[in-house]
Amino acid sequence: MRTNRTIRIAMATVGALALALTGCGGDDDNNGDGGGGGGKETGANSTVQLPKLDGQTLEVAAVWTGPEQENFTKVLDEFEKRTGATVNFVPTGNNTSTFLGTKIQGGQPPDVAFLPQVGVLHQFAQKGWAKPLGSETQAQLDKNFSTGWKELGAYEGKQYGVYMKAANKSLIWYNTAAFEAAGITEEPKTWKDFLATAQTLSDAGSPAVSIGGADGWTLTDWFENIYLSQAGPDKYDQLAKHEIKWTDPSVKDALTTLAELWGKDELIAGGRSGALQTEFPKSVTQTFSGDTPAAMVFEGDFVTATINADTDAKIGTDAKVFPFPAVGDESPVVSGGDVAVALKDGKGAQALMTFLASTDAAEIWAAQGGFISPNKEMDQGAYKDDVTRDIAKALTAAGDDFRFDMSDQAPAAFGGTQGIGEWKRLQDFLKNPGDVAGAQQKLEADAAKAYKTG
């Protein structure tokens, strides 16, 4: 059983976020070269004291690849510079809990790992795999993070995790050239308007919406945003805890709404079959590059990392963003995040955890782009562009009042594993969006099993 309370993003922040995003400009002058990030260099300017670890080799595991991995490596480079340690990065693949569980059971866990699901943190803490934070890391956490983010990293009264990286997962990114070519001058604010915009784009010759359906987690994000806006926060919390079943009428309503888009092949880049073969990075690049780019792609603030690294599009000029459209009374705002945990005892693992909880580490990564942090004390000027900076400000302004990704709160067997559970069932639903009842029944069967076993 999970003891932490569900975390919320306030509906009241949505209007402020929408206003901020609409007025965003392009890149600022901070290009993030080198490991200095937000101006915190080795020496007197450091805000955190680290031990000397000469000769030690540490291993860090996380799901990130490509630009995200490269940007995070800048943080590790600075840690190496300050401590003398060597840090090796190991990508986990999408099945993070399975990868790490195998390493741990084989007696070769990484020193530190980033977990993308709250449910996995609880599982690791319960099994004794995750190590409680030391006093120096706790001090950084207390200084730099709100209570809500600390509670997300705790289990049964003990602190295990540091949420270094957060995400606003309620954003639609769009190709401004495609909008202009179709004569669209206003960003859609409601789901009805969104569908009408997609149809206008399609009629003008642009693939309207790019969907990364090969990665099941992107499909859970589609569902969660629609469900939160349509069913409301209380129902969202209940479904997240499996206090109501997936056969509930509110789930039927959300899937029916989702099918209004997923059921129209002509509105999806490559159609449904193409979407199911498209991984998340490709869903972004095919929106901002190529001869016939798609017009829109849904996902979080981290989309900017792929745009910056793999396309020529300029954030705020060629690539703009608007909040996920309101299905009910309010636009939804769903947050996610990656939590760092120590999987080994020892000075090196705890020192790295302390650094990850500091403003120094957050500012280094922020300067690279494609990243926002719940670290409320970091210099907001470190962010690479105005778009990301305003998204981050809206997140930290919410304080403790925000909602967290539903699938990431679930047991990993349901909400966080490739090829099974919610990921697989929503891929099946994308393939056959007419079978709402069948999707509900399979989702409920998988959820009942996973929540029972933990």
Side-chain angles (χ1 to χ4, degrees), residues 434-445:
D435 187 16
V436 172
Q440 283 187 270
Q441 290 166 4
K442 291 173 183 176
L443 283 162
E444 175 53 29

Side-chain angles (χ1 to χ4, degrees), residues 6-239:
T6 302
I7 305 300
R8 302 166 180 79
I9 285 183
M11 292 298 105
T13 66
V14 175
L17 176 62
L19 182 63
L21 295 179
T22 302
C24 286
D27 290 353
D28 59 19
D29 294 331
N30 187 355
N31 60 15
D33 291 339
K40 297 291 192 298
E41 300 288 350
T42 303
N45 290 330
S46 302
T47 64
V48 58
Q49 297 300 312
L50 300 171
K52 289 298 179 184
L53 301 170
D54 298 285
Q56 291 196 33
T57 298
L58 305 176
E59 188 173 88
V60 178
V63 72
W64 308 309
T65 58
E68 282 189 293
Q69 179 184 333
E70 292 169 12
N71 292 345
F72 175 59
T73 299
K74 298 291 199 306
V75 177
L76 301 182
D77 289 345
E78 182 66 13
F79 179 80
E80 289 180 329
K81 188 191 302 181
R82 296 189 188 187
T83 64
T86 298
V87 186
N88 297 322
F89 180 89
V90 179
T92 64
N94 279 332
N95 292 336
T96 301
S97 60
T98 301
F99 174 89
L100 293 173
T102 300
K103 296 271 284 185
I104 293 166
Q105 290 170 338
Q108 296 182 314
D111 295 86
V112 171
F114 280 84
L115 309 179
Q117 288 96 24
V118 179
V120 175
L121 181 146
H122 294 170
Q123 178 188 23
F124 279 29
Q126 189 177 46
K127 292 183 175 181
W129 292 351
K131 310 301 178 183
L133 299 186
S135 59
E136 292 179 355
T137 308
Q138 186 68 55
Q140 288 292 319
L141 199 65
D142 291 342
K143 181 173 69 172
N144 297 327
F145 292 81
S146 69
T147 300
W149 286 101
K150 289 193 291 183
E151 287 185 350
L152 273 176
Y155 179 72
E156 293 188 344
K158 290 184 179 180
Q159 195 73 47
Y160 292 92
V162 173
Y163 270 90
M164 183 187 184
K165 189 177 190 291
N168 180 324
K169 303 179 84 173
S170 301
L171 303 172
I172 306 288
W173 299 83
Y174 67 98
N175 185 319
T176 56
F179 268 49
E180 289 168 5
I184 299 169
T185 57
E186 292 188 9
E187 298 166 348
K189 294 180 174 58
T190 67
W191 181 252
K192 181 180 178 180
D193 292 342
F194 177 73
L195 293 175
T197 297
Q199 189 65 59
T200 300
L201 289 160
S202 179
D203 293 344
S206 291
V209 183
S210 177
I211 298 176
D215 291 321
W217 61 268
T218 65
L219 304 185
T220 70
D221 290 348
W222 273 104
F223 172 81
E224 288 159 5
N225 276 274
I226 287 174
Y227 190 83
L228 177 57
S229 181
Q230 189 172 51
D234 291 340
K235 284 278 192 181
Y236 185 96
D237 291 344
Q238 291 167 16
L239 188 60

Side-chain angles (χ1 to χ4, degrees), residues 11 14 18 29 113 160 195 208 266-267 294 299 311 316 343 349 355 445:
M11 292 298 105
V14 175
D29 294 331
Y160 292 92
L195 293 175
E266 71 273 15
L267 299 185
E299 254 315 328
T311 79
L343 299 180
F355 186 59

Side-chain angles (χ1 to χ4, degrees), residues 210-429:
S210 177
I211 298 176
D215 291 321
W217 61 268
T218 65
L219 304 185
T220 70
D221 290 348
W222 273 104
F223 172 81
E224 288 159 5
N225 276 274
I226 287 174
Y227 190 83
L228 177 57
S229 181
Q230 189 172 51
D234 291 340
K235 284 278 192 181
Y236 185 96
D237 291 344
Q238 291 167 16
L239 188 60
K241 298 172 188 174
H242 201 225
E243 292 176 351
I244 58 175
K245 294 182 177 183
W246 284 78
T247 50
D248 190 85
S250 62
V251 177
K252 176 183 177 181
D253 292 343
L255 291 174
T256 301
T257 298
L258 194 52
E260 292 174 354
L261 173 65
W262 288 7
K264 292 187 176 180
D265 251 17
E266 71 273 15
L267 299 185
I268 300 172
R272 290 192 296 273
S273 61
L276 286 164
Q277 299 173 55
T278 301
E279 296 180 340
F280 162 69
K282 183 182 176 184
S283 73
V284 177
T285 57
Q286 71 182 14
T287 307
F288 299 104
S289 61
D291 294 333
T292 55
M296 297 183 286
V297 61
F298 155 70
E299 254 315 328
D301 53 273
F302 44 84
V303 163
T304 60
T306 303
I307 295 174
N308 287 331
D310 297 331
T311 79
D312 294 327
K314 186 176 176 63
I315 303 292
T317 304
D318 308 308
K320 290 188 177 181
V321 62
F322 57 86
F324 196 96
V327 183
D329 293 336
E330 301 280 358
S331 285
V333 183
V334 176
S335 178
D338 296 276
V339 61
V341 297
L343 299 180
K344 280 186 180 178
D345 292 312
K347 189 176 181 181
Q350 286 295 335
L352 182 54
M353 291 291 291
T354 299
F355 186 59
L356 296 175
S358 72
T359 58
D360 295 16
E363 289 165 11
I364 291 168
W365 199 347
Q368 315 310 315
F371 165 87
I372 63 172
S373 173
N375 189 316
K376 60 185 175 66
E377 297 300 320
M378 68 169 283
D379 179 7
Q380 299 289 314
Y383 285 106
K384 185 177 175 67
D385 57 77
D386 292 338
V387 172
T388 305
R389 185 176 301 111
D390 286 330
I391 294 170
K393 285 179 180 177
L395 179 70
T396 55
D400 294 335
D401 198 12
F402 59 95
R403 254 174 185 75
F404 201 80
D405 185 295
M406 185 189 296
S407 63
D408 288 351
Q409 297 179 58
F414 180 67
T417 305
Q418 188 87 0
I420 63 173
E422 190 180 0
W423 291 19
K424 174 64 163 60
R425 298 312 178 191
L426 288 178
Q427 287 175 323
D428 292 344
F429 184 65

